[in-house]
Amino acid sequence: MPTRRTFAKLGILAGVGIVGASTEAAIILRFFATPDTQTPLAGNTIPQFVEPLQVFAGARVQSASTTVQIQEFQQKMLPQSIYEKLSSPYNNGTYLWGYQVGNNPLFSPGYTLEALQGLPTTITYVNNLPHPSASKLLPQLTVDQTIHWADPLNKMGSTQPYQGTIPTVVHLHGAEVASSFDGSPEQWFTADGLHGKGYVTFKSTPANSAVYHYTNEQPATTLWFHDHSLGMTRINVFSGLAAFYLLRDKYDTGQPDNALKLPFGPQEVELIIQDRQFDTNGQLLFPNGTPEKNPTGLNGGPPNPKIHPYWIPEFFGDTILVNGKSWPYLEVEPRRYRFRLLNGSNARFYNMHLQDDANKAAGPAFWLIGTDGGLLDIPVQLNDPHAKSPRRLLLAPAERADVIIDFT
């Protein structure tokens, strides 16, 4: 057996995001004050690098036709040592919304889909999210009806909390697809069969679902799919609706005999990096500007009436997740690995580099071989330990990078 090393450290820098705006008066604050205050769990109290990374190699879905169920469920995103101290039902995990891809278990991010260039894929997306009266997650979120949004109940501008079923639509980010199946914000659909004005489906299907047809004509690249509902994207993606979609071609096959001699199998690893905030019950906390929802002043402090009565300008969580686990570790062999990196955060940028955890010295160089559009013509060296100002890998929200790290 070869010796193994641990790779798990990720460098982080905060970035910028998008500011939402509204012309509504500050009276909105009266209606949206959260009745049950969540107590934030400080990110620096969460044990780091104690549980293994969730990997999808060997469990990716490769099929010309598959179904993706959108459901609420519980998952242990934090270490077991935190959940085991909680009472029921919180000891069973964090409530999330997620994609169940094919026959794989429910997990966030969803299991990876793989497709081959030139071979179309047909996916049936089914919205099974519960009504707000039954949802355990939705009461922790603020659904804003004052903005231009999906508005299934036709109450645009209302200052009352939204009481309908959750609209969803799936966008395959970075893909070259027909506009009909792009998952645009107005193409949403709900669990009880309500549709946005742009709703379309490739073939007849129950009203709580839509069938999309992807031609997969572009070269091999790293794509991902996520919720794209109008006025709800920030909340739905935060709640877990994201997954990888790897497009292959005759050069980048993912097989041992691939023409480019790229790492494959267990040595090809997807990494979706997200920042989140949790409460002391281990549940997601998406703060807003109200003192009731944001008592400690984290992520926005007091209300910002010039921006919005309860919105925060942008979200920065104090806990970093990789593949749905807080600060996991990955055991690696002394050989080359290929990492498909995705910044799945709402607003945070990441400045990626390697370093020796013992003495903080610059780690080995690694190679950027691909970006959002696919493989580069020539690899680019990053993190050169001999350079005075080594180039690092800066990832913006939704941006992808394909890198090779040699652990020999």
Side-chain angles (χ1 to χ4, degrees):
M1 287 286 292
T3 59
R4 305 173 78 89
R5 300 179 184 179
T6 301
F7 164 67
K9 315 302 184 188
L10 299 175
I12 306 161
L13 283 182
V16 297
I18 299 174
V19 175
S22 172
T23 58
E24 293 293 321
I27 191 173
I28 300 172
L29 181 60
R30 300 178 188 172
F31 296 95
F32 281 95
T34 305
D36 297 318
T37 300
Q38 291 179 269
T39 302
L41 174 67
N44 59 11
T45 66
I46 299 172
Q48 298 184 6
F49 315 120
V50 295
E51 294 192 357
L53 177 80
Q54 169 73 24
V55 294
F56 304 107
R60 300 180 187 130
V61 175
Q62 301 171 326
S63 176
S65 178
T66 192
T67 297
V68 175
Q69 307 276 351
I70 305 170
Q71 305 189 128
E72 184 170 293
F73 69 110
Q74 283 179 278
Q75 175 177 312
K76 293 184 176 179
M77 312 186 90
L78 302 171
Q80 172 63 22
S81 60
I82 291 179
Y83 293 108
E84 65 187 13
K85 299 175 183 177
L86 302 176
S87 58
S88 179
Y90 304 123
N91 58 340
N92 291 321
T94 303
Y95 283 99
L96 298 168
W97 297 333
Y99 295 127
Q100 183 172 17
V101 181
N103 294 320
N104 283 305
L106 260 169
F107 198 80
S108 177
Y111 282 70
T112 299
L113 281 163
E114 279 190 304
L116 184 62
Q117 183 186 33
L119 294 180
T121 303
T122 300
I123 302 178
T124 302
Y125 296 107
V126 184
N127 185 345
N128 291 325
L129 293 179
H131 189 274
S133 61
S135 173
K136 301 296 185 181
L137 172 58
L138 190 58
Q140 302 166 27
L141 305 172
T142 301
V143 181
D144 184 4
Q145 295 197 98
T146 68
I147 62 172
H148 180 207
W149 81 295
D151 193 26
L153 300 183
N154 296 313
K155 293 185 177 181
M156 188 89 69
S158 172
T159 55
Q160 296 295 325
Y162 175 63
Q163 296 297 322
T165 49
I166 299 301
T168 64
V169 62
V170 180
H171 173 60
L172 184 55
H173 196 118
E176 298 174 4
V177 299
S179 60
S180 299
F181 310 120
D182 188 51
S184 66
E186 293 278 19
Q187 292 179 309
W188 54 266
F189 50 96
T190 66
D192 55 355
L194 300 177
H195 295 161
K197 63 183 180 181
Y199 173 82
V200 68
T201 182
F202 180 63
K203 60 181 180 180
S204 179
T205 189
N208 69 328
S209 58
V211 181
Y212 281 9
H213 185 71
Y214 303 132
T215 56
N216 301 320
E217 294 177 349
Q218 66 201 94
T221 189
T222 305
L223 308 173
W224 67 300
F225 58 99
H226 61 82
D227 180 82
H228 211 211
S229 301
L230 183 64
M232 284 285 290
T233 299
R234 71 194 183 285
I235 289 177
N236 287 359
V237 175
F238 173 86
S239 301
L241 295 177
F244 277 97
Y245 186 106
L246 303 183
L247 184 57
R248 307 287 192 179
D249 62 16
K250 63 181 180 181
Y251 304 104
D252 179 10
T253 63
Q255 300 300 314
D257 59 351
N258 72 85
L260 301 178
K261 299 182 180 179
L262 295 170
F264 61 92
Q267 280 71 52
E268 183 182 30
V269 182
E270 304 96 300
L271 299 176
I272 180 170
I273 307 166
Q274 301 164 303
D275 61 339
R276 294 291 183 266
Q277 189 172 349
F278 294 86
D279 68 14
T280 50
N281 283 321
Q283 303 305 301
L284 290 175
L285 194 163
F286 193 84
N288 57 40
T290 65
E292 292 84 356
K293 188 68 178 288
N294 198 14
T296 64
L298 295 173
N299 283 310
N304 295 293
K306 291 183 179 180
I307 299 173
H308 194 280
Y310 58 85
W311 269 22
I312 56 173
E314 53 193 358
F315 171 79
F316 294 111
D318 61 2
T319 304
I320 302 300
L321 306 180
V322 185
N323 290 3
K325 283 279 190 179
S326 61
W327 288 296
Y329 67 86
L330 175 66
E331 296 286 345
V332 300
E333 297 179 359
R335 57 194 294 180
R336 293 189 310 151
Y337 278 70
R338 179 183 185 182
F339 293 98
R340 307 286 196 117
L341 301 173
L342 161 63
N343 180 355
S345 299
N346 283 52
R348 187 181 294 278
F349 283 48
Y350 296 92
N351 195 15
M352 310 293 295
H353 63 282
L354 293 175
Q355 68 179 29
D356 187 308
D357 192 45
N359 58 24
K360 307 306 179 185
F366 58 95
W367 298 88
L368 178 68
I369 65 168
T371 59
D372 292 359
L375 296 174
L376 301 176
D377 292 334
I378 300 174
V380 177
Q381 187 183 52
L382 303 175
N383 204 63
D384 183 356
H386 305 295
K388 291 184 179 180
S389 299
R391 288 183 290 188
R392 293 183 175 180
L393 178 61
L394 182 65
L395 283 182
E399 195 171 9
R400 284 90 65 208
D402 201 339
V403 304
I404 300 288
I405 302 177
D406 192 341
F407 291 100
T408 59

